[in-house]
Amino acid sequence: GALLVMATAAPYFYAGVGVFHFNPYTFDDNNKKVFLQPLGTEGQGLKEYPNRKKYSRFQFTLPVGGGVKFYLAENLIFNYEFMYHFVFTDYLDDVSTTYIPLDKLSPETAALSFRQQGVNFALRVGERRGDKNDRDVYYYNVIKLSKFINYRSL
């Protein structure tokens, strides 16, 4: 049977709850992929920084979004959608608080936690690296074209 077309366009909105996994990484000077969470680039897990706990790579999200479907023909739909995810972490990029002295970190971690060339790191200790009060977010757009196929005609 044919798809019943009742409208030319149909807007929609939605909200929900979800869980996601993330694992921030960078590339070292030898172009080797290095995952950052185990390193504690801001002193997470060090006894000198008891308030900086290792963050979980599993987090909750509150997705909200909407879109509109355009019915182009009986069996053809164009869809545009936007989704915005509120998350409960500030570590999607492994950056949240302030710089700590490099000598508190392992050599590998120190090399990856401060990578600005030509800048005196000693002047940056204690400076804001991120903003722990401003949680990360992510969002995306989707453009989709759907064609319904009558399996009996195949």
Side-chain angles (χ1 to χ4, degrees):
L3 174 67
L4 179 61
V5 178
M6 297 180 68
T8 306
Y12 59 93
F13 301 94
Y14 54 86
V17 176
V19 176
F20 69 99
H21 177 265
F22 67 106
N23 201 4
Y25 64 88
T26 191
F27 291 93
D28 67 12
D29 293 337
N30 297 318
N31 207 30
K32 178 183 155 214
K33 187 184 224 181
V34 180
F35 292 97
L36 298 170
Q37 188 263 4
L39 299 178
T41 57
E42 294 183 344
Q44 301 98 323
L46 296 178
K47 65 181 179 202
E48 295 93 332
Y49 300 94
N51 294 333
R52 297 187 185 190
K53 308 284 185 218
K54 292 268 186 178
Y55 56 87
S56 173
R57 291 177 289 184
F58 287 93
Q59 296 289 331
F60 287 98
T61 178
L62 298 174
V64 294
V68 63
K69 289 183 179 185
F70 297 96
Y71 297 91
L72 305 176
E74 234 179 44
N75 63 349
L76 191 63
I77 298 174
F78 174 82
N79 187 66
Y80 169 76
E81 182 174 293
F82 177 81
M83 183 179 285
Y84 191 90
H85 285 258
F86 296 93
V87 298
F88 297 93
T89 184
D90 191 36
Y91 281 106
L92 289 182
D93 54 1
D94 194 64
V95 174
S96 181
T97 59
T98 58
Y99 289 101
I100 66 168
L102 295 180
D103 62 357
K104 302 287 185 192
L105 303 170
S106 72
E108 177 189 27
T109 303
L112 297 173
S113 68
F114 184 80
R115 302 182 85 178
Q116 294 180 1
Q117 301 295 324
V119 176
N120 182 349
F121 178 76
L123 299 176
R124 302 295 304 261
V125 172
E127 271 190 33
R128 192 170 99 175
R129 187 173 183 222
D131 184 354
K132 67 180 181 176
N133 297 316
D134 187 15
R135 302 286 186 215
D136 291 337
V137 298
Y138 67 95
Y139 60 90
Y140 56 89
N141 294 290
V142 175
I143 296 175
K144 183 171 30 174
L145 186 63
S146 304
K147 179 167 176 55
F148 292 91
I149 300 171
N150 183 346
Y151 68 92
R152 292 184 195 139
S153 66
L154 295 178

